[in-house]
Amino acid sequence: MTVHADDGLPRRGAPSQTAPVRPAAQPAHPQPGSTAAPDRAVAGEGGDDPWTVLERSLAPSLAQRLARVDAALRDRIDEIRVMTGQPLWLLLADGEGFVDAGGRLVGDPHRAPAVTAGEVAVCLERMTASSWYAVQEQARQGFLSLPGGHRVGLAGEVQVDAGRVERFRRVWGLVIRRARCVEGCALPLLPWLVEPGRTGPRLTSALLLGPPASGKTTVLRDLARLASRGVPGRLAAHRVAVIDERGELAGGGALDLGPRTAVLAHCPKETGIGLALRALSPEVLITDELGGPGDAAAVAEAVHAGVTVVATAHARDPEDLWGRRQLRALALAGAFRRLVVLERRPRPATPVAVYRRDGPARWSRLPLGTGGIAPPVARPP
């Protein structure tokens, strides 16, 4: 990939080594219109595991640096930040650090080499399989989905028209959220999320709350797997439908969501929920990151059809639900019988509170580990 001096955008038909690039303030990004064939290694063909796919989506120089990181640390990576002019940064399940030239994690950013604009450009070329047009719709939402379920947030200069993101003019940073299954991480929540059913213990409709990177998606994957497989004596096996709008939950089939699970990948939730109800006969429906304008009505339709819905949303407690119009509509619709609040500390996906719905504007907090009921938490309609 070479970079033209006029606009800082990489062009096709040039050697893969990056030519001189603009300063860090204006790094390159892939030029729309490229039609090169996808990189099969990056696309995850041949049964590569998600971590290998992630490594192959990076510029070789960055992948080599990451490969030098101690294997015990590498297994705990939740997020990788690739920012032009800044060192490679890792968020671990129990800490963080910058990656120096030898793959060691250091606390001082000055001891680690900075990522170049050319390295960011190569990452983007590999992540998009040299076809920026193919990912335009995702990019307008600020992210890319990689094979294996990894999600890449885009940082850079955005072109906006009438309040709508038209495109990224330049991309100078990538925030990579690593996808992985943590089997059993949802088991501690079952006492609060399981209720009697005609065919045995079943999940109740629940909304997982928490800030970004709190482990909501990881718990959601495990709940899908547990509901699909069943847990002897604790949870009956059920037919599960997953609406995987961003391709993160199932990772294109790379992540295990259970033997009775059907997935609708890259399908908007509002459309996918209705499609699943008509065609997939779910008993449990799983989806991520509610908050869109049509989500409340679609979820209510599923619940009123007798389907258990388990989903996630960005919020810290019931009070936050009332501060966000779309989430407030979900609460008023009575779609969820439980709210679970998750945090990263002391480890990702740590439950810190569970609430039981007692009415449209009333939630009772269930202290974890005691089985008692705290005073009701009421919110105005």
Side-chain angles (χ1 to χ4, degrees), residues 291-357:
D295 291 354
V299 169
E301 179 185 1
V303 171
H304 294 154
V307 176
T308 293
V309 177
V310 184
T312 68
H314 290 306
R316 291 186 177 275
D317 51 37
E319 186 173 0
D320 277 356
L321 295 180
W322 296 96
R324 298 181 59 190
R325 181 170 57 87
Q326 300 301 336
L327 296 182
R328 180 181 179 181
L330 283 169
L332 286 172
F336 299 105
R337 296 171 59 85
R338 295 289 187 274
L339 301 179
V340 179
V341 181
L342 303 174
E343 291 187 359
R344 279 194 62 81
R345 299 291 183 264
R347 63 187 181 280
T350 296
V352 296
V354 177
Y355 296 87
R356 183 186 67 190
R357 181 178 180 272

Side-chain angles (χ1 to χ4, degrees), residues 63-353:
Q64 291 167 9
R65 197 180 311 164
L66 200 58
R68 299 187 190 106
V69 173
D70 181 82
L73 291 176
R74 200 161 58 236
D75 288 342
R76 305 204 300 271
I77 295 174
D78 287 336
E79 184 177 293
I80 304 168
R81 293 203 171 213
V82 183
M83 297 289 171
T84 301
Q86 302 297 330
L88 194 66
W89 180 82
L90 305 181
L91 176 65
L92 309 178
D94 52 359
E96 62 168 280
F98 302 98
V99 184
D100 72 6
R104 294 176 293 270
L105 260 62
V106 297
D108 182 358
H110 297 97
R111 293 175 54 194
V115 173
T116 68
E119 287 172 324
V120 172
V122 172
C123 288
L124 274 169
E125 184 179 70
R126 295 169 73 83
M127 290 173 177
T128 62
S130 302
S131 182
W132 185 249
Y133 275 150
V135 299
Q136 275 296 298
E137 192 55 42
Q138 277 194 349
R140 288 191 187 100
Q141 300 178 59
F143 70 92
L144 305 174
S145 294
L146 300 183
H150 312 296
R151 181 176 175 182
V152 183
L154 304 175
E157 181 183 347
V158 180
Q159 178 178 322
V160 178
D161 184 15
R164 180 180 184 270
V165 174
E166 289 296 321
R167 67 187 181 104
F168 272 77
R169 293 175 59 87
R170 293 180 177 84
V171 172
W172 52 68
L174 307 168
V175 178
I176 304 168
R177 298 268 301 275
R178 179 188 179 188
R180 55 180 170 172
C181 286
V182 182
E183 292 198 3
C185 68
L187 281 171
L189 287 172
L190 291 189
W192 289 271
L193 300 185
V194 173
E195 60 184 6
R198 290 192 301 272
T199 59
R202 61 173 291 170
L203 286 179
T204 189
S205 290
L207 185 62
L208 310 181
L209 307 179
S214 56
K216 300 186 298 298
T217 301
T218 302
V219 173
L220 198 63
R221 282 194 200 98
D222 201 44
L223 284 172
R225 184 185 61 83
L226 293 175
S228 182
R229 287 186 184 178
V231 181
R234 302 179 65 186
L235 180 63
H238 287 86
R239 301 184 303 276
V240 178
V242 173
I243 314 303
D244 193 7
E245 183 169 357
R246 295 171 175 81
E248 291 181 275
L249 289 169
L255 303 174
D256 179 18
L257 298 185
R260 297 174 180 84
T261 298
V263 178
L264 292 175
H266 302 290
C267 181
K269 287 183 282 292
E270 183 178 1
T271 301
I273 290 174
L275 182 59
L277 293 177
R278 292 191 299 272
L280 301 181
S281 66
E283 296 172 289
V284 176
L285 192 146
I286 303 282
T287 192
D288 209 355
E289 292 193 20
L290 296 179
D295 291 354
V299 169
E301 179 185 1
V303 171
H304 294 154
V307 176
T308 293
V309 177
V310 184
T312 68
H314 290 306
R316 291 186 177 275
D317 51 37
E319 186 173 0
D320 277 356
L321 295 180
W322 296 96
R324 298 181 59 190
R325 181 170 57 87
Q326 300 301 336
L327 296 182
R328 180 181 179 181
L330 283 169
L332 286 172
F336 299 105
R337 296 171 59 85
R338 295 289 187 274
L339 301 179
V340 179
V341 181
L342 303 174
E343 291 187 359
R344 279 194 62 81
R345 299 291 183 264
R347 63 187 181 280
T350 296
V352 296

